[in-house]
């Protein structure tokens, strides 16, 4: 399991895809860096089709890039349907959350899915380790089922 190993974007969308029952996707992902023969190709297509991912830039998904805590929060939030959220985050480093991830992080924090790392810090741009992802997925399922 390697709980301290980083999680990649391709791995994460594959987990979410399987959680959804591995549904068929209508088209390819549209990302130049997602080859049809890769293990994550169907998952990326499904995630893009359902608005869970939108890529990183220049028509790329970056499947082998390590996922950050805020990217993980954004994918879970979109998977949940981007529910309405309000309120402020009380973390000392809340200003370091990317604008595109603020609602997602807020929603994850208020639903007990994402916790701080100590010292009243969120560290949104740190890598999400596989053990952290597993814990967040468990809390995500508890909060949404």
């Amino acid at each position: 399991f390697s709980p301290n190993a980083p999680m990649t974007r391709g791995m994460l969308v594959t987990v979410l895809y399987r959680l959804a029952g591995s549904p068929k996707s209508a088209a390819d992902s549209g990302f130049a860096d997602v080859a049809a023969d890769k293990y994550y190709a169907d998952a990326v297509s499904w995630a893009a089709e359902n608005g869970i991912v939108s890529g990183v830039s220049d028509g790329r998904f970056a499947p082998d890039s390590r996922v950050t805590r805020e990217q993980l929060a954004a994918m879970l939030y979109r998977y949940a349907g981007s529910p309405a959220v309000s309120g402020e985050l009380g973390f000392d480093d809340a200003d370091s959350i990317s604008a595109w991830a603020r609602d997602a992080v807020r929603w994850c924090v208020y639903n007990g899915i994402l916790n701080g790392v100590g010292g009243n810090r969120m560290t949104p741009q740190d890598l999400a380790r596989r053990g952290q992802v597993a814990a967040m997925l468990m809390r995500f399922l508890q909060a949404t089922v």
Side-chain angles (χ1 to χ4, degrees), residues 1-12:
F1 175 63
S2 302
N4 291 320
M7 186 88 159
T8 67
R9 293 170 50 82
M11 288 176 192
L12 180 58

Side-chain angles (χ1 to χ4, degrees), residues 42-143:
D42 289 341
V44 174
S45 295
W46 166 82
E49 184 177 303
N50 288 282
I52 297 167
V53 298
S54 58
V56 293
S57 67
D58 301 329
R60 295 179 314 109
F61 176 68
D64 298 320
S65 292
R66 296 171 175 183
V67 71
T68 65
R69 290 167 50 84
E70 69 181 6
Q71 289 172 347
L72 172 58
M75 289 185 209
L76 291 175
Y77 174 69
R78 293 176 193 144
Y79 183 92
S82 302
V85 64
S86 62
E88 293 300 318
L89 292 169
F91 294 100
D92 292 342
D93 60 352
D95 289 344
S96 66
I97 300 167
S98 299
W100 54 264
R102 287 190 191 280
D103 284 345
V105 170
R106 187 178 294 118
W107 181 80
C108 284
V109 168
Y110 283 114
N111 283 285
I113 298 165
L114 180 61
N115 300 318
V117 296
N120 200 38
R121 294 178 313 118
M122 166 60 55
T123 63
Q125 311 215 355
D126 279 2
L127 297 180
R129 304 282 176 196
R130 291 169 60 142
Q132 292 173 330
V133 173
M136 285 180 65
L137 284 169
M138 181 191 72
R139 293 188 298 259
F140 173 79
L141 291 172
Q142 291 172 336

Side-chain angles (χ1 to χ4, degrees), residues 14-63:
T14 300
V15 169
L16 296 177
Y17 174 67
R18 291 179 180 161
L19 181 63
S22 302
K24 293 292 180 198
S25 181
D28 73 7
S29 70
F31 296 113
D33 60 347
V34 177
D37 63 344
K38 295 293 187 179
Y39 77 90
Y40 48 73
D42 289 341
V44 174
S45 295
W46 166 82
E49 184 177 303
N50 288 282
I52 297 167
V53 298
S54 58
V56 293
S57 67
D58 301 329
R60 295 179 314 109
F61 176 68

